[in-house]
Amino acid sequence: VAVGCMDGAVGLVHYDQSTTTTTATTGCPLTTTLFTPVAKKHVKYVRNVVWSPTEPLLASTSADGCIYMYNVTQRTDLMTDDDNDEEIKLEATLTESLHLSGAIEACCFGGNHQLICYVRDTPHLTYFDLKDDMKQTKINLNQQSATTTAGGFSDHVSF
C-alpha cells in the first residue's frame, strides 16, 4: 500500500500477516506493519498516490505542482536472529521528477504506458508517455464552438 500525507511525505506500507497475533482484550488480529518513507518529499500536501497497473511504478502528485515517479522493489533479507526469519524491505527509487504549472488535482495511469494528470485551473488533461521520454500531449476537455469566447468555458474545467 502507498500513502500520501499532508506534510508532503509519501510512504510504502507493508502488512505482514504471517506474524498475526490477537489482543487479549478484543481478540482482534494484529499484524506487523512496516512503513518505509520514500526519499523525495513534496513541498505541499500530497493529492494523489497511484500505482501503475502494469509495472512496479508509483506516482505521487501534490499541490506543489510536482509529479514524482518511483520504481518500487521488494527485497527479502534473512534476519540475524536464531529463528532464520525473513524481513521484507520495500525500496522506492526516484526515476522521474516533473513540475507542472499548478496544483495537480487528479492523476491516474492509463493504457499504453501513460500517466494522465489534471492541473487546477486548466482546460485540459496532460498525458505523459512513459515509453517516449515523458512526451506530453494535452487534450482539451471543453468543446470549442463559434459562440465560445476567451475567458469563457474553453479556459477552465472544474472537477
Side-chain angles (χ1 to χ4, degrees):
V1 175
V3 295
C5 304
M6 291 299 293
D7 68 354
V10 174
L12 303 172
V13 179
H14 174 74
Y15 296 99
D16 184 359
Q17 295 182 350
S18 67
T19 59
T20 301
T21 59
T22 57
T23 65
T25 14
T26 65
C28 294
L30 295 175
T31 58
T32 303
T33 304
L34 173 67
F35 179 81
T36 306
V38 298
K40 187 75 173 166
K41 190 173 178 180
H42 288 280
V43 175
K44 292 187 177 180
Y45 60 93
V46 176
R47 294 285 304 178
N48 302 278
V49 179
V50 293
W51 287 100
S52 167
T54 58
E55 300 175 51
L57 290 177
L58 176 70
S60 66
T61 67
S62 171
D64 63 12
C66 290
I67 302 170
Y68 298 142
M69 293 190 57
Y70 301 92
N71 184 34
V72 178
T73 56
Q74 177 177 311
R75 166 178 111 222
T76 304
D77 291 342
L78 190 60
M79 295 177 70
T80 57
D81 60 12
D82 293 334
D83 296 334
N84 289 326
D85 290 335
E86 294 179 339
E87 180 182 25
I88 294 174
K89 293 192 177 195
L90 301 173
E91 295 178 349
T93 305
L94 183 67
T95 59
E96 195 71 48
S97 177
L98 303 167
H99 187 77
L100 302 182
S101 62
I104 301 166
E105 294 292 330
C107 184
C108 67
F109 281 93
N112 298 322
H113 304 285
Q114 294 175 325
L115 181 68
I116 306 163
C117 296
Y118 170 72
V119 176
R120 183 185 302 161
D121 296 329
T122 65
H124 56 267
L125 290 176
T126 303
Y127 287 69
F128 295 93
D129 188 333
L130 304 177
K131 296 295 183 186
D132 191 11
D133 200 29
M134 300 303 282
K135 178 183 169 190
Q136 292 184 36
T137 302
K138 293 183 179 183
I139 306 295
N140 194 327
L141 298 175
N142 288 314
Q143 182 176 350
Q144 299 294 321
S145 70
T147 60
T148 304
T149 59
F153 288 110
S154 66
D155 291 337
H156 179 72
V157 172
S158 179
F159 281 89

